[in-house]
Amino acid sequence: MAIKVLEIHHQGVRIGADEKTLADLENFYAGVLGLERDKGRPEIPGIPGMWINVGEVGQIHLIGGDLPSPFAQGPGRDPTAPHVALAVENIVETKAELDRLGASYWSLKGATGPDAEQLFLNDPCGNMVELHQFDKCRCRLKSRVKPS
């Protein structure tokens, strides 16, 4: 049984971390591309950056800080490295399917929320893919808008 991927949620991009770079990036994404910064991005210790909203579903995560990051779990296991993030229907079933397939992956829990688990694996060319539970992140517009 294949994993049930529902949406692409974000693209993780490495950036410089100084204030000028962050200001220049915000000016570029807002002024040139007309995109807004997600002002609700949580403070992630040791990981400066910003999330840029792209439509109703999707973001660009601009990720700074020293490598390896405080969340790295060894060589090739750093969630701040460039990656694409996909939302899956059920993270528990996804993990079980990865185990059944004998796929090599690693897990990160609680970095972006207390009940969030992210699974990371590499495609055959070495590109990192993140899998996370649908509707457990700020990538979807409805998750960024507070109810009235």
Side-chain angles (χ1 to χ4, degrees):
M1 155 182 113
I3 291 169
K4 296 176 187 169
V5 173
L6 301 178
E7 298 173 340
I8 184 170
H9 271 194
H10 70 263
Q11 177 70 41
V13 179
R14 289 293 306 174
I15 62 167
D18 62 76
E19 291 300 317
K20 181 182 181 330
T21 300
L22 292 174
D24 289 346
L25 284 165
E26 186 166 7
N27 289 335
F28 172 79
Y29 283 97
V32 175
L33 299 180
L35 301 172
E36 291 184 3
R37 178 181 187 165
D38 178 356
K39 302 230 188 268
R41 176 192 183 263
E43 182 65 31
I44 305 171
I47 313 295
M50 66 184 81
W51 295 346
I52 304 297
N53 299 326
V54 181
E56 291 190 20
V57 177
Q59 292 184 321
I60 301 168
H61 288 187
L62 304 173
I63 305 167
D66 294 330
L67 290 174
S69 77
F71 296 100
Q73 295 181 11
R77 292 183 163 209
D78 192 333
T80 70
H83 65 276
V84 63
L86 306 171
V88 297
E89 183 176 76
N90 184 305
I91 197 72
V92 174
E93 289 176 9
T94 296
K95 199 171 186 178
E97 182 63 5
L98 290 172
D99 289 339
R100 186 187 74 75
L101 293 169
S104 177
Y105 71 93
W106 54 281
S107 172
L108 181 63
K109 294 182 181 178
T112 58
D115 61 345
E117 181 174 18
Q118 299 152 283
L119 306 177
F120 294 87
L121 59 158
N122 293 316
D123 73 12
C125 290
N127 299 299
M128 189 162 59
V129 177
E130 172 189 333
L131 303 173
H132 65 261
Q133 178 66 47
F134 175 76
D135 255 357
K136 290 285 184 184
C137 73
R138 296 183 56 83
C139 295
R140 305 185 102 244
L141 177 61
K142 72 176 196 161
S143 299
R144 298 187 298 258
V145 178
K146 294 185 181 192
S148 310

